Amino acid sequence: MGLMHMKNPANSRKKPSKGGLFFFLAGLIPSLIIGWVIYPMVLYSKQAQPINFSHSIHMNPEIVDGIEGDTEIEKCLYCHEFREDGTFAGIPKLAKCTECHDDPDSALGESEEEKKFLSKYVANEKEIPWYSYYRQPDCVYFSHIAHVKMGEINCKTCHGDHGKTDKLPVYQANRLTGYSINIWGRNIAGYKTNTWDRMKMDDCAECHTLKEKEGNNACFVCHK
Amino acid sequence: MEEEHGHGNKYGMVIDLDKCTGCGTCMVACAAENNLSVRPDESDKQHSITWMSLYKISNGKKFPDTEYSYFPRPCMHCNHHTPCVSVCPATATKIDFNTGIVSQIYARCIGCRYCMAACPYHARSFNWWDGYFPKGKGLERYLSPEVSPRMRGVVEKCSFCHHRLMRAKTKAYTENRRELEENEYITACAEACPVQAITFGDLNNPEHKVSKLAKSPYAFRLLERLGTEPKVYYLSTKDWVRKFADNYLPGEFKPVTSPKG
């Protein structure tokens, strides 16, 4: 019964002062800016690729002749080939480039980028130290042949338009984990509009479930 | 956990103890295959790590009746109530009923070692230090990219060379095959054994040699009565060896070869 006689504490409280709101916002807004804008910028280091490689020039049969293949995917596989044991060769080695760029003294085109490539790498027979945008952590096992050949999934589903680009984006690595930004995605709020926006564990599993390959959601399928 | 094997594969191993000479090649092959790190003092067996251990047993009799036998011991990949899986608080270890293999994901492991306490077979080891591969001695050049190295603070164990399964599948895909042939996927220890005491294959496939051997009257498993259903079977024609596999009360053990004992 005593409760009925108690004063409602809300009625006795003073009105909040405008100053309180000011200090609240003065704290909140900078925190949001630090959290959503500055921190993501600081979190990722930026590195330029050693040279610019243009997929669009090399995939254009009118400019570059000799990338064999009837379909687009076969042309991609001309450079990004499967080895005899089914493993994926990944980014091609210099030997692939020198099939055409064999003479460091005579360029195939006019561009500065090619001259740099010839003098720095072809002339010295030095491999190009590419940064890999899509490389997963060491504990992850991924099989291209299972997806591309058996699953008939397009490169684009996971790599977007990288195979059509003219300019290579800067490579960004997470300073804490060392993983490329392409793994966790560029959108810090975690929104994903395209299948290739990011490739975290959940994104792999999401597609496996969608394609009714739940059996591939066991730890020892994707991990080693 | 209550799921059972209906279809799919159930990889397993049969080790013939009558053939095993205790040479230790399986241990070495396993260590090299799976990036097992070494300790500065490898003779300190309390702290060194092996996925495949070798136990020596004796019938305890005086000369000329003395007999020895050796027990190579990988992870048993228990099929039922997998003790380590049921206690792991981090889901770092799981059993995949499509292969029967018990996985261990080092990046997920929190190092509580509950699984080590739960494992009846001592098949798990704890990393007290980061992996150590002495520089300049060439060891780091033998590291395999197919197996993750372990860090300090996690538990590791035999994986039935799971990466060899993925390797075999990848190879089969080049030929548009999904099914593997019998010996396309075998573990490093089975491959290395000079007397071929270790047979590896699919226990669910009646055509595979392992499933035939596992049905032999001489076949047994370690601590079978715990009901963990190990996928590693042993063969021995010697009753005293088979008796070592469990703790029998007097009169409980049923000899196979010489029923009188």
Side-chain angles (χ1 to χ4, degrees), chain A residues 82-87 138-141 143 145-146 149-151 201 213-224, chain B residues 91 94 96 98 101-108 145-148 159 162-163 166-167 170-171 173-178:
Chain A
F82 290 118
R83 302 190 191 98
E84 219 164 86
D85 63 358
T87 53
D138 277 352
C139 63
V140 174
Y141 172 82
S143 161
I145 200 162
K149 187 172 176 193
M150 306 308 278
M201 185 147 99
K213 294 280 180 191
E214 285 95 343
N216 289 344
N217 288 341
C219 311
F220 252 8
V221 171
C222 309
H223 287 281
K224 55 189 180 189
Chain B
T91 334
K94 284 194 88 178
D96 178 2
N98 288 314
I101 296 175
V102 177
S103 58
Q104 176 78 15
I105 309 298
Y106 316 113
R108 177 63 64 80
E146 288 179 297
V147 182
S148 323
S159 65
H162 161 266
H163 58 285
M166 301 320 273
R167 195 198 288 167
T170 294
K171 182 84 195 288
Y173 293 157
T174 62
E175 299 161 15
N176 267 319
R177 264 187 306 127
R178 284 176 198 276

Side-chain angles (χ1 to χ4, degrees), chain A residues 4-5 13 26 32 41 43 46 63 67 78 102 123 139 145 150 153 179 181 183 189 194 196 205 210 212 222:
Chain A
M4 305 283 275
H5 301 287
R13 210 198 268 152
L32 286 177
M41 274 176 4
L43 185 60
K46 293 188 171 68
I63 307 176
I67 306 285
Y78 180 81
D102 53 350
C139 63
I145 200 162
M150 306 308 278
I153 300 170
Y179 307 157
I181 198 169
I183 309 279
N194 303 307
W196 56 84
L210 209 72
E212 293 175 357
C222 309

